[in-house]
Structures are given as C-alpha cells and as structure tokens.
Amino acid sequence: MKAEALRIDADRLLARLGTLAEIGAIEGGGCCRLALTDEDRAGRDLVVRWMRELGLEVSIDPIGNIFGCRAGTEAAAPVMAGSHIDTVRTGGRYDGNLGVLGALEAIATLNAAGVRTRRPLVVAVFTDEEGARFAPDMLGSLVYVSGLQLEEALATVGIDGAVLGDELRRIGYAGAAPLGIHRPHAYLELHIEQGPVLDAEGVTIGAVENLQGISWQKIAITGQSNHAGTTPMRLRHDAGYGAAAVGNFLRQLARELGGDQVCTMGRVALHPNLINVIAARATVCADLRNTDEARLREAERRLAAFLEELARAEGLRITSRPLARFEPVRFDPGLVQLVERTAARLGYTHRRMTSGAGHDAQMLARICAAAMVFVPSVRGISHNPAEHTETADLAAGANVLLHSLMELAA
Ligand code: HGY
Ligand code: MN
Ligand code: MN
C-alpha cells in the first residue's frame, strides 16, 4: 500500500487504551496510577511488553524514562514520539496514555505495511509527568534534558513521604541506560487538549504553537491552636482562616489580572483538622499559570505581598517554597506547520492553539524541534474520570502523528 494511504487501526488503538485503563481503574472509567506506585509499575510493564511485541529495542534510563527504538535504514538521530502513563488520582484514560499508545499504534501500522524509515523512530514514556505525587511535573523529561540533576530528582520527597529514588528502585525501573539516550532529531507528542476549545469549535486537530508558564508553590501557615469556643476572635492566630484567605485571594488574583491568568488551590491540609480546634498549621498548594511570563511574575509578586499582609494582620508565620517553575514555551514553527499541513492533507479540520497544561514536549523543546498534536476533550473535561475523546478524533490524532513522523523520519 502507498505510504500516503496508510491509516492507523482505530480498533487496535482503542483496545490498547482500554487494556491500559484497566490498570488502576477507578469508578467512572478513569484511572489512578500515581507515579511510581504499583499501578504505575503494572502500566509500565504492559507498555514494555507491547514495545517488545512490536520489535522495539527497549531502554530504561536512571530516572525511569522508557524508550522503545525502531531502527531506521540509517543510524541517524531518531524522531521521537511519546508522553506519559502516570495519572493524577482522579485521572481519565487518555491524558498521556494516548500519546504513548498513539505512537505505538503508528509503529504497528508501519510494521504491518513493511515501511522502513530512514531515521530510527523512538517511543518515549516519561516518568512522573503529572508531578501530583512527586513535584515538579514533567520531572522525568526535565531530568532527561538536564533541567534537573538526577541526584536531586531521586531525593524528591512525595506528598506521602516516600522518596522518589526508593520508589523507582522498588518498582524495578531505575534503569541503566545513559541519561540522554537517543538524542532526538525532533519530538512530537499527541495529547488530548484537556480544555474546551476544539470541542466547542468542532475542530478535530490542534496544532499547538505554545504552552503557558507554570508556577507551583507550597505555602506553610503556622498559627496557634486554641479552643474554638473559649478563644475571643481578637486573640486568634487561626491557620485555618489563613488557608481559606489564600484560596479566596487566588480567585480574586485571577479576576484582577484577567486575560489568560489562572490560579488554583487544589491541595490544602489543616492540623489538627478537628472541628473544635483552631488550626495550628495549614499547608496550601497554589498553581499559577499564564501564557505571558511578565504577567505570571506579577501574579507571583501579588501573592507574595498578600501573604506578607496576611501574616502581619493575623499574627501568623507564613513561608512559601517553589515546587515547580517553568516559563512559557514556543514550539518549533516548522513542526507546527508540519502538523497543520498533515492534518489538512488527511482532510481533518485544524487550528493553531495554546496548551494550558504542561507537557513533556515543553522539556524536549529545550534540546530539539518539538511540537504537539491535540485532539478534542468532550466538554473540555480532564483530570476527571469522565475525560472523553471520540474514537474518530483519537484516530485522527494518531493518523496525523503517523504521517508527521513518516515525513520527519524520511
Ligand atoms: O500540571 C499539568 O499541567 C500537567 O497535567 N502535568
Ligand atoms: Mn498529560
Ligand atoms: Mn495531566
């Protein structure tokens, strides 16, 4: 069959997505496979098996990134495609998984058609993209591009007190391959949009040209525990109130800055967390994002000023520690055009767009030409078991990935 006419097998892709989704399956059809847990190990083992069945040569690096390599006719720098298979606690079945399984589906299609490419093709599964258990997010790809020292990454303590390196060894994925194995010629990532744009406009393919900046911080608030009944309001140093005030301020901050600014308090904990005790301590995690670096810095500045004022007014001690800080990224214009051109050639509607979420592609962009292919998320829902993408859109994304890879590897 002519290369032009090649199309992926949607049933095979859907079947693999379904099989992987059974690992860590949660109510509502989603997944919970937090990085380096037993569920993540089971998912990794399954993908490695599929890679081997597809004849790929599997390598695992010291931070647990998995690479499946399909030899080219030349030993040139490979074209890489991939994503992640770790999920948040209430994840869907497509976030990350589609990028890995879509790349495997492209390989399966080339194998079935007996098509060789000049450049090798590498499928990558990056460790701990979500950063939900071990911050920062995109940790594995960040180490891969030397943005974070391996030792520092291995020493990371998770939200459950586990040490990243111990967990990596425990699940058997502390690999021996050299860091930076397979320096790619180019990198493409297929991913669900996780936002409302494509679905609302009825457009099939997103050619992602940029990705917003991310600022995560852990805010520790120390007050004084006291009796909820006997303590007059004027004598309180209430860490619980402090946490609530931060949450409220984040919403106000997004409103004041407007534009693309988003602010989230997704994680909060009180101690001792009892109905009749004024909280002694609170921790709040803040997630700030903006496509514009200067405005993201303004948001950080305003939050810091608010925390100072809150500490003074309430007699609290408030400290903040950064958990992740990535500037906005622009993807390679040539690759973005390739994604658009390929979508058009295959007859799919398409548009250029920004990624609101962080992705491994933003790290690969530091070392090679990188870009992303988005497909619609129904009602823009993600990080939620109800996350859904129609089969025709899954297939469209995988076909655009397949033909883009073939052109890049020619
Ligand atoms: O946080 C993010 O944007 C991604 O889901 N890791
Ligand atoms: Mn993702
Ligand atoms: Mn995610």
Side-chain angles (χ1 to χ4, degrees):
M1 177 194 294
K2 271 181 58 59
E4 255 315 286
L6 277 184
R7 294 295 181 271
I8 61 102
D9 178 334
D11 294 338
R12 185 169 53 197
L13 173 58
L14 218 55
R16 283 204 223 272
L17 282 163
T19 306
L20 181 53
E22 284 163 19
I23 300 176
I26 56 174
E27 190 66 22
C31 301
C32 174
R33 284 200 306 271
L34 286 168
L36 309 184
T37 55
D38 289 343
E39 292 76 17
D40 188 21
R41 167 176 39 195
R44 286 163 168 266
D45 292 349
L46 176 63
V47 170
V48 167
R49 178 159 65 78
W50 281 336
M51 285 181 166
R52 294 212 164 101
E53 284 169 4
L54 288 167
L56 301 183
E57 188 198 338
V58 177
S59 313
I60 297 163
D61 78 8
I63 196 67
N65 295 321
I66 302 167
F67 301 96
C69 182
R70 181 181 197 257
T73 55
E74 286 177 25
V79 175
M80 185 181 281
S83 193
H84 62 95
I85 63 165
D86 66 300
T87 74
V88 294
R89 192 171 283 140
T90 55
R93 61 175 55 194
Y94 303 103
D95 177 359
N97 304 312
L98 176 62
V100 172
L101 300 186
L104 288 185
E105 176 51 35
I107 299 287
T109 305
L110 292 172
N111 285 355
V115 171
R116 302 299 317 164
T117 55
R118 182 175 70 83
R119 291 183 179 280
L121 294 174
V122 172
V123 178
V125 183
F126 290 107
T127 295
D128 185 28
E129 186 279 343
E130 292 294 355
R133 184 185 182 200
F134 298 104
D137 50 350
M138 288 75 71
L139 182 140
S141 49
L142 183 62
V143 172
Y144 177 72
V145 300
S146 313
L148 175 64
Q149 286 304 311
L150 175 63
E151 291 64 35
E152 190 182 343
L154 294 173
T156 304
V157 177
I159 56 173
D160 53 3
V163 177
L164 192 150
D166 297 346
E167 285 294 88
L168 197 59
R169 277 184 294 278
R170 185 182 67 79
I171 67 166
Y173 276 90
L179 260 187
I181 185 172
H182 299 311
R183 262 307 178 246
H185 163 69
Y187 175 84
L188 265 183
E189 181 164 352
L190 169 61
H191 206 289
I192 52 171
E193 177 198 334
Q194 301 183 285
V197 173
L198 293 174
D199 185 51
E201 295 181 359
V203 171
T204 306
I205 297 293
V208 186
E209 45 186 1
N210 66 318
L211 186 150
Q212 65 178 342
I214 302 173
S215 166
W216 284 3
Q217 48 187 295
K218 180 176 181 178
I219 300 163
I221 302 171
T222 307
Q224 181 188 57
S225 74
N226 215 326
H227 194 295
T230 60
T231 313
M233 295 313 285
R234 60 187 166 76
L235 295 181
R236 293 182 180 214
H237 304 293
D238 183 347
Y241 167 74
V246 171
N248 183 56
F249 176 77
L250 288 173
R251 174 56 64 94
Q252 205 186 312
L253 179 61
R255 219 184 354 252
E256 278 168 18
L257 286 168
D260 295 332
Q261 184 63 46
V262 288
C263 302
T264 313
M265 177 175 84
R267 182 174 167 76
V268 61
L270 298 184
H271 176 79
N273 204 22
L274 299 170
I275 186 167
N276 60 354
V277 180
I278 298 170
R281 291 195 309 277
T283 50
V284 169
C285 288
D287 178 324
L288 310 178
R289 307 198 194 195
N290 199 307
T291 50
D292 178 298
E293 176 62 15
R295 298 187 67 69
L296 185 54
R297 288 209 185 127
E298 174 63 11
E300 289 172 323
R301 205 189 53 68
R302 290 192 193 192
L303 176 55
F306 173 77
L307 295 178
E308 241 176 75
E309 176 49 27
L310 179 65
R312 192 196 57 71
E314 295 294 325
L316 298 167
R317 193 154 46 77
I318 301 180
T319 59
S320 170
R321 177 166 70 87
L323 293 177
R325 183 60 170 92
F326 303 122
E327 296 197 3
V329 165
R330 299 207 66 77
F331 289 123
D332 178 87
L335 242 54
V336 177
Q337 281 155 23
L338 169 62
V339 169
E340 269 182 321
R341 197 171 62 239
T342 306
R345 188 156 44 85
L346 296 176
Y348 301 127
T349 53
H350 57 88
R351 61 158 285 171
R352 287 177 173 235
M353 62 192 295
T354 294
S355 174
H359 297 288
D360 294 311
Q362 75 185 87
M363 302 307 174
L364 274 287
R366 298 186 186 190
I367 61 166
C368 70
M372 298 189 75
V373 181
F374 271 4
V375 289
S377 291
V378 173
R379 293 193 317 284
I381 300 284
S382 182
H383 282 187
N384 178 324
E387 177 182 281
H388 183 67
T389 297
E390 301 299 342
T391 302
D393 293 337
L394 296 171
N399 278 318
V400 171
L401 181 70
L402 168 67
H403 284 273
S404 301
L405 292 178
M406 287 166 68
E407 185 164 329
L408 283 169

